[in-house]
Amino acid sequence: GVAPTAQGRPTPTDELVRRTLSLLRPLELAPAIVMAGVSLTPACGLAGWQPPDVTTLFNNLRQAAGLVD
């Protein structure tokens, strides 16, 4: 879960990319392994979130996943 949920607002795409790379780079995984086996997700549930914010967060996660390789 690279997207923190306690703040109740979507994390920007660039921050999601930064968080993800800071976790993956030390592992020195091949890009093919990252692309095949890593999914970017929220850190926890989104029950208290407003629907437009949930949509924005998942769009940001999708965009960040496309930038991480």
Side-chain angles (χ1 to χ4, degrees):
V2 296
T5 58
Q7 64 197 17
R9 65 181 190 278
T11 305
T13 301
D14 60 337
E15 176 66 16
L16 293 170
V17 170
R18 187 190 66 73
R19 287 172 172 270
T20 302
L21 292 176
S22 73
L23 294 169
L24 292 177
R25 282 188 176 149
L27 300 175
E28 298 182 4
L29 298 172
I33 292 172
V34 172
M35 296 303 290
V38 175
S39 297
L40 304 186
T41 64
C44 196
L46 304 170
W49 283 48
Q50 296 298 314
D53 291 334
V54 172
T55 300
T56 299
L57 177 61
F58 279 103
N59 284 335
N60 292 354
L61 284 165
R62 180 185 48 76
Q63 291 172 359
L67 297 170
V68 173
D69 57 8

Coordinates of all heavy atoms in Angstrom, one line a residue:
G1 N 0.8 -1.2 0.0 CA 0.0 0.0 0.0 C 0.9 1.3 0.0 O 1.3 1.7 1.0
V2 N 1.1 1.8 -1.2 CA 1.9 3.0 -1.3 C 1.1 4.3 -1.1 O 1.7 5.4 -0.9 CB 2.7 3.1 -2.6 CG1 3.7 2.0 -2.7 CG2 1.8 3.1 -3.8
A3 N -0.2 4.2 -1.1 CA -1.0 5.4 -1.0 C -1.6 5.5 0.4 O -2.4 4.7 0.8 CB -2.1 5.4 -2.0
P4 N -1.1 6.5 1.2 CA -1.6 6.6 2.6 C -3.1 7.0 2.5 O -3.5 7.7 1.6 CB -0.8 7.7 3.2 CG -0.1 8.4 2.1 CD -0.1 7.5 0.9
T5 N -3.9 6.5 3.5 CA -5.3 6.7 3.4 C -5.8 7.5 4.6 O -6.9 8.0 4.6 CB -6.1 5.4 3.3 OG1 -5.7 4.6 4.5 CG2 -5.8 4.7 2.1
A6 N -5.0 7.7 5.6 CA -5.5 8.4 6.9 C -5.8 9.9 6.6 O -6.6 10.4 7.3 CB -4.4 8.2 8.0
Q7 N -5.1 10.5 5.6 CA -5.3 11.9 5.4 C -6.6 12.2 4.7 O -7.1 13.3 4.8 CB -4.2 12.4 4.5 CG -4.1 11.8 3.2 CD -2.8 12.0 2.5 OE1 -1.8 12.3 3.1 NE2 -2.8 11.8 1.2
G8 N -7.3 11.2 4.1 CA -8.6 11.4 3.5 C -8.6 12.1 2.2 O -9.6 12.6 1.8
R9 N -7.4 12.3 1.6 CA -7.3 12.9 0.3 C -6.3 12.2 -0.6 O -5.4 11.6 -0.1 CB -7.0 14.4 0.4 CG -5.6 14.7 0.9 CD -5.4 16.2 1.0 NE -4.0 16.5 1.3 CZ -3.5 16.5 2.5 NH1 -4.2 16.2 3.6 NH2 -2.2 16.7 2.7
P10 N -6.5 12.2 -1.9 CA -5.7 11.5 -2.8 C -4.2 12.0 -2.8 O -3.9 13.2 -2.7 CB -6.3 11.7 -4.2 CG -7.6 12.3 -4.0 CD -7.6 12.9 -2.6
T11 N -3.3 11.0 -2.9 CA -1.9 11.3 -3.0 C -1.6 11.6 -4.4 O -2.0 10.8 -5.3 CB -1.1 10.1 -2.5 OG1 -1.5 9.8 -1.2 CG2 0.4 10.4 -2.5
P12 N -0.9 12.7 -4.7 CA -0.5 13.0 -6.1 C 0.3 11.9 -6.8 O 1.1 11.2 -6.1 CB 0.3 14.3 -6.0 CG 0.0 14.8 -4.7 CD -0.4 13.7 -3.8
T13 N 0.2 11.8 -8.1 CA 0.9 10.7 -8.8 C 2.4 10.8 -8.6 O 3.0 9.7 -8.4 CB 0.6 10.9 -10.3 OG1 -0.8 10.8 -10.5 CG2 1.3 9.8 -11.1
D14 N 3.0 12.0 -8.6 CA 4.5 12.1 -8.4 C 4.9 11.6 -7.1 O 6.0 10.9 -6.9 CB 5.0 13.5 -8.7 CG 4.4 14.5 -7.8 OD1 3.3 14.3 -7.3 OD2 5.1 15.6 -7.6
E15 N 4.1 11.8 -6.1 CA 4.4 11.3 -4.7 C 4.3 9.8 -4.7 O 5.1 9.1 -4.0 CB 3.5 11.9 -3.7 CG 3.7 11.4 -2.3 CD 5.1 11.7 -1.7 OE1 5.8 12.6 -2.2 OE2 5.4 11.1 -0.7
L16 N 3.3 9.2 -5.4 CA 3.2 7.8 -5.4 C 4.4 7.1 -6.1 O 4.9 6.1 -5.7 CB 1.9 7.4 -6.1 CG 0.6 7.8 -5.4 CD1 -0.6 7.6 -6.3 CD2 0.4 7.0 -4.1
V17 N 4.8 7.7 -7.2 CA 6.0 7.2 -7.9 C 7.2 7.3 -7.0 O 8.0 6.3 -6.9 CB 6.3 8.0 -9.2 CG1 7.6 7.6 -9.8 CG2 5.1 7.8 -10.2
R18 N 7.4 8.4 -6.3 CA 8.6 8.5 -5.4 C 8.5 7.5 -4.3 O 9.5 6.8 -4.0 CB 8.6 9.9 -4.8 CG 9.8 10.2 -3.9 CD 9.7 11.5 -3.1 NE 8.7 11.4 -2.1 CZ 8.8 10.7 -1.0 NH1 9.9 10.0 -0.7 NH2 7.9 10.7 -0.1
R19 N 7.3 7.3 -3.7 CA 7.2 6.3 -2.6 C 7.5 4.9 -3.1 O 8.2 4.1 -2.5 CB 5.8 6.3 -2.0 CG 5.5 7.5 -1.2 CD 4.0 7.5 -0.8 NE 3.7 8.5 0.1 CZ 3.7 8.3 1.4 NH1 4.0 7.1 1.9 NH2 3.4 9.2 2.3
T20 N 7.0 4.6 -4.3 CA 7.1 3.2 -4.9 C 8.6 3.0 -5.2 O 9.1 1.9 -4.8 CB 6.3 3.1 -6.1 OG1 4.9 3.3 -5.8 CG2 6.4 1.7 -6.7
L21 N 9.2 3.9 -5.9 CA 10.6 3.7 -6.2 C 11.5 3.6 -5.0 O 12.5 2.9 -5.0 CB 11.1 4.8 -7.2 CG 10.5 4.8 -8.6 CD1 11.0 6.0 -9.4 CD2 10.8 3.5 -9.3
S22 N 11.2 4.4 -3.9 CA 12.0 4.3 -2.7 C 11.9 2.9 -2.1 O 12.9 2.5 -1.4 CB 11.6 5.4 -1.7 OG 10.4 5.1 -1.1
L23 N 10.9 2.2 -2.3 CA 10.7 0.8 -1.8 C 11.3 -0.2 -2.8 O 11.9 -1.2 -2.3 CB 9.2 0.5 -1.6 CG 8.5 1.3 -0.6 CD1 7.0 1.0 -0.7 CD2 9.0 0.9 0.8
L24 N 11.2 0.0 -4.1 CA 11.7 -1.0 -5.0 C 13.1 -0.9 -5.4 O 13.8 -2.0 -5.6 CB 10.9 -0.9 -6.3 CG 9.4 -1.3 -6.2 CD1 8.7 -1.0 -7.6 CD2 9.2 -2.7 -5.8
R25 N 13.7 0.3 -5.5 CA 15.1 0.4 -5.9 C 16.1 -0.4 -5.0 O 17.0 -1.0 -5.6 CB 15.5 1.9 -6.0 CG 15.0 2.5 -7.3 CD 15.5 3.9 -7.4 NE 15.0 4.4 -8.7 CZ 14.8 5.7 -8.9 NH1 15.0 6.6 -8.0 NH2 14.4 6.1 -10.1
P26 N 15.9 -0.3 -3.7 CA 16.9 -1.1 -2.9 C 16.8 -2.6 -3.2 O 17.8 -3.3 -2.9 CB 16.5 -0.8 -1.5 CG 15.8 0.5 -1.5 CD 15.1 0.5 -2.9
L27 N 15.7 -3.1 -3.7 CA 15.6 -4.5 -4.0 C 16.3 -4.9 -5.3 O 16.5 -6.1 -5.5 CB 14.1 -4.9 -4.1 CG 13.3 -4.6 -2.8 CD1 11.8 -4.9 -3.1 CD2 13.8 -5.4 -1.6
E28 N 16.6 -4.0 -6.1 CA 17.3 -4.2 -7.4 C 16.6 -5.3 -8.2 O 17.3 -6.2 -8.8 CB 18.8 -4.5 -7.2 CG 19.5 -3.4 -6.5 CD 21.0 -3.7 -6.3 OE1 21.5 -4.8 -6.7 OE2 21.7 -2.8 -5.7
L29 N 15.3 -5.2 -8.4 CA 14.6 -6.2 -9.2 C 14.6 -5.8 -10.6 O 14.7 -4.6 -11.0 CB 13.1 -6.2 -8.7 CG 12.8 -6.6 -7.3 CD1 11.4 -6.4 -7.0 CD2 13.2 -8.1 -7.1
A30 N 14.6 -6.7 -11.5 CA 14.6 -6.5 -12.9 C 13.2 -5.8 -13.3 O 12.2 -6.2 -12.7 CB 14.7 -7.8 -13.7
P31 N 13.2 -4.9 -14.2 CA 12.0 -4.2 -14.6 C 10.9 -5.2 -15.0 O 9.7 -4.9 -14.7 CB 12.4 -3.3 -15.8 CG 13.8 -3.0 -15.6 CD 14.4 -4.3 -14.9
A32 N 11.2 -6.3 -15.6 CA 10.2 -7.3 -16.0 C 9.5 -7.9 -14.8 O 8.3 -8.1 -14.8 CB 10.8 -8.4 -16.9
I33 N 10.3 -8.1 -13.8 CA 9.7 -8.6 -12.5 C 8.7 -7.6 -11.9 O 7.6 -7.9 -11.4 CB 10.8 -9.0 -11.5 CG1 11.5 -10.2 -12.1 CG2 10.2 -9.3 -10.2 CD1 12.8 -10.6 -11.3
V34 N 9.2 -6.3 -11.9 CA 8.4 -5.3 -11.3 C 7.0 -5.2 -12.1 O 6.0 -5.1 -11.5 CB 9.1 -3.9 -11.3 CG1 8.2 -2.8 -10.9 CG2 10.3 -4.0 -10.4
M35 N 7.1 -5.1 -13.4 CA 5.9 -4.9 -14.2 C 5.0 -6.1 -14.1 O 3.8 -6.0 -14.2 CB 6.3 -4.7 -15.7 CG 7.1 -3.5 -15.9 SD 6.3 -2.0 -15.4 CE 5.0 -1.9 -16.6
A36 N 5.5 -7.3 -13.9 CA 4.7 -8.5 -13.8 C 4.1 -8.8 -12.5 O 3.1 -9.4 -12.3 CB 5.5 -9.7 -14.3
G37 N 4.8 -8.3 -11.4 CA 4.4 -8.8 -10.1 C 4.1 -7.7 -9.1 O 3.8 -8.0 -7.9
V38 N 4.1 -6.4 -9.4 CA 3.9 -5.4 -8.5 C 2.6 -4.6 -8.8 O 2.4 -4.2 -10.0 CB 5.1 -4.4 -8.4 CG1 4.8 -3.3 -7.5 CG2 6.3 -5.2 -7.9
S39 N 1.7 -4.5 -7.8 CA 0.5 -3.7 -8.0 C 0.6 -2.5 -7.0 O 0.9 -2.8 -5.8 CB -0.7 -4.5 -7.8 OG -0.8 -5.5 -8.7
L40 N 0.2 -1.4 -7.4 CA 0.1 -0.2 -6.5 C -1.3 -0.1 -5.9 O -2.2 -0.1 -6.6 CB 0.5 1.1 -7.2 CG 1.9 1.1 -7.9 CD1 2.2 2.5 -8.4 CD2 3.0 0.6 -7.0
T41 N -1.3 0.0 -4.6 CA -2.6 -0.1 -3.9 C -2.6 1.0 -2.7 O -1.6 1.5 -2.3 CB -2.9 -1.4 -3.2 OG1 -1.9 -1.7 -2.2 CG2 -2.9 -2.5 -4.3
P42 N -3.9 1.3 -2.3 CA -4.0 2.1 -1.1 C -3.4 1.3 0.1 O -3.4 0.1 0.2 CB -5.4 2.4 -0.9 CG -6.1 2.0 -2.2 CD -5.2 1.0 -2.8
A43 N -3.0 2.0 1.2 CA -2.4 1.4 2.4 C -3.5 0.7 3.2 O -3.3 -0.2 3.9 CB -1.7 2.4 3.2
C44 N -4.7 1.2 3.1 CA -5.8 0.7 3.9 C -7.1 1.0 3.2 O -7.2 1.4 2.1 CB -5.8 1.4 5.3 SG -6.7 0.6 6.6
G45 N -8.2 0.7 3.9 CA -9.6 0.9 3.3 C -9.9 2.4 3.1 O -9.3 3.3 3.6
L46 N -10.9 2.6 2.3 CA -11.3 3.9 1.9 C -12.8 4.2 2.3 O -13.4 5.1 1.7 CB -11.2 4.1 0.4 CG -9.8 3.8 -0.2 CD1 -9.8 3.8 -1.7 CD2 -8.8 4.9 0.3
A47 N -13.3 3.6 3.3 CA -14.7 3.7 3.7 C -15.1 5.1 4.0 O -16.2 5.5 3.7 CB -14.9 2.8 4.9
G48 N -14.3 5.9 4.6 CA -14.7 7.3 4.9 C -14.5 8.3 3.8 O -14.7 9.5 3.9
W49 N -13.9 7.9 2.7 CA -13.6 8.8 1.6 C -14.8 9.1 0.7 O -15.7 8.3 0.6 CB -12.6 8.1 0.7 CG -11.2 8.1 1.2 CD1 -10.8 7.7 2.5 CD2 -10.0 8.5 0.5 NE1 -9.4 7.8 2.6 CE2 -8.9 8.3 1.4 CE3 -9.7 8.9 -0.7 CZ2 -7.6 8.5 1.1 CZ3 -8.4 9.1 -1.1 CH2 -7.4 9.0 -0.2
Q50 N -14.8 10.3 0.1 CA -15.8 10.7 -0.8 C -15.5 10.0 -2.2 O -14.4 9.8 -2.6 CB -15.8 12.2 -1.0 CG -16.2 13.0 0.2 CD -17.6 12.7 0.7 OE1 -18.5 12.6 -0.1 NE2 -17.7 12.4 2.0
P51 N -16.6 9.6 -2.9 CA -16.4 8.9 -4.1 C -15.5 9.6 -5.1 O -14.6 8.9 -5.8 CB -17.8 8.7 -4.7 CG -18.6 8.6 -3.4 CD -18.0 9.6 -2.5
P52 N -15.6 10.9 -5.3 CA -14.7 11.5 -6.3 C -13.2 11.4 -5.9 O -12.3 11.3 -6.8 CB -15.1 13.0 -6.3 CG -16.5 13.0 -5.8 CD -16.6 11.8 -4.9
D53 N -12.9 11.4 -4.6 CA -11.6 11.3 -4.1 C -11.0 9.9 -4.3 O -9.8 9.7 -4.6 CB -11.4 11.7 -2.6 CG -11.7 13.2 -2.4 OD1 -11.4 14.0 -3.3 OD2 -12.1 13.5 -1.3
V54 N -11.9 8.9 -4.2 CA -11.5 7.5 -4.4 C -11.2 7.3 -5.9 O -10.1 6.7 -6.2 CB -12.6 6.5 -4.0 CG1 -12.3 5.1 -4.5 CG2 -12.9 6.6 -2.5
T55 N -12.0 7.9 -6.8 CA -11.7 7.8 -8.2 C -10.4 8.5 -8.5 O -9.6 7.9 -9.3 CB -12.8 8.5 -9.0 OG1 -14.1 7.8 -8.7 CG2 -12.6 8.4 -10.5
T56 N -10.1 9.6 -8.0 CA -8.9 10.3 -8.2 C -7.7 9.5 -7.7 O -6.7 9.4 -8.4 CB -8.9 11.7 -7.5 OG1 -9.9 12.5 -8.1 CG2 -7.6 12.4 -7.7
L57 N -7.8 8.9 -6.5 CA -6.7 8.1 -6.0 C -6.4 7.0 -6.9 O -5.2 6.7 -7.2 CB -7.0 7.6 -4.6 CG -6.0 6.7 -4.0 CD1 -4.7 7.4 -3.8 CD2 -6.5 6.2 -2.6
F58 N -7.4 6.2 -7.4 CA -7.2 5.1 -8.2 C -6.6 5.5 -9.6 O -5.8 4.8 -10.1 CB -8.4 4.2 -8.3 CG -8.5 3.3 -7.1 CD1 -9.4 3.5 -6.1 CD2 -7.7 2.2 -7.0 CE1 -9.5 2.7 -5.0 CE2 -7.8 1.3 -5.9 CZ -8.7 1.6 -4.9
N59 N -7.1 6.6 -10.1 CA -6.5 7.1 -11.3 C -5.0 7.5 -11.1 O -4.1 7.2 -12.0 CB -7.2 8.4 -11.8 CG -8.5 8.0 -12.5 OD1 -8.7 6.9 -13.0 ND2 -9.5 8.9 -12.5
N60 N -4.7 8.1 -10.0 CA -3.3 8.4 -9.7 C -2.4 7.2 -9.5 O -1.3 7.1 -10.0 CB -3.2 9.3 -8.4 CG -3.8 10.7 -8.6 OD1 -4.1 11.1 -9.7 ND2 -3.9 11.4 -7.5
L61 N -3.0 6.1 -8.9 CA -2.3 4.9 -8.7 C -2.0 4.2 -10.1 O -0.9 3.7 -10.3 CB -3.1 3.9 -7.8 CG -3.0 4.2 -6.3 CD1 -4.1 3.4 -5.6 CD2 -1.7 3.9 -5.7
R62 N -3.0 4.3 -11.0 CA -2.8 3.7 -12.3 C -1.8 4.5 -13.1 O -0.9 3.9 -13.7 CB -4.2 3.8 -13.1 CG -4.1 3.2 -14.5 CD -5.4 3.4 -15.2 NE -5.9 4.7 -15.2 CZ -5.5 5.8 -15.9 NH1 -4.4 5.6 -16.7 NH2 -6.0 7.0 -15.8
Q63 N -1.8 5.8 -13.0 CA -0.8 6.6 -13.7 C 0.6 6.3 -13.1 O 1.6 6.2 -13.9 CB -1.1 8.1 -13.6 CG -2.3 8.5 -14.4 CD -2.7 9.9 -14.1 OE1 -2.1 10.6 -13.3 NE2 -3.7 10.4 -14.8
A64 N 0.7 6.2 -11.8 CA 2.0 6.0 -11.2 C 2.5 4.6 -11.6 O 3.8 4.5 -11.8 CB 1.9 6.1 -9.6
A65 N 1.7 3.6 -11.6 CA 2.1 2.3 -12.0 C 2.7 2.3 -13.4 O 3.7 1.6 -13.7 CB 0.9 1.3 -12.0
G66 N 2.2 3.1 -14.3 CA 2.7 3.2 -15.7 C 4.1 3.9 -15.7 O 4.8 3.7 -16.7
L67 N 4.4 4.7 -14.7 CA 5.7 5.4 -14.7 C 6.8 4.6 -13.9 O 7.9 5.0 -14.1 CB 5.5 6.7 -14.0 CG 4.5 7.7 -14.7 CD1 4.2 8.9 -13.8 CD2 5.1 8.1 -16.0
V68 N 6.4 3.6 -13.2 CA 7.4 2.9 -12.4 C 7.9 1.7 -13.3 O 7.1 0.8 -13.7 CB 6.8 2.3 -11.1 CG1 7.7 1.4 -10.4 CG2 6.4 3.5 -10.2
D69 N 9.1 1.7 -13.6 CA 9.7 0.5 -14.3 C 11.1 0.3 -14.0 O 11.8 1.1 -13.3 CB 9.5 0.7 -15.8 CG 10.2 2.0 -16.4 OD1 10.9 2.7 -15.6 OD2 9.9 2.2 -17.5

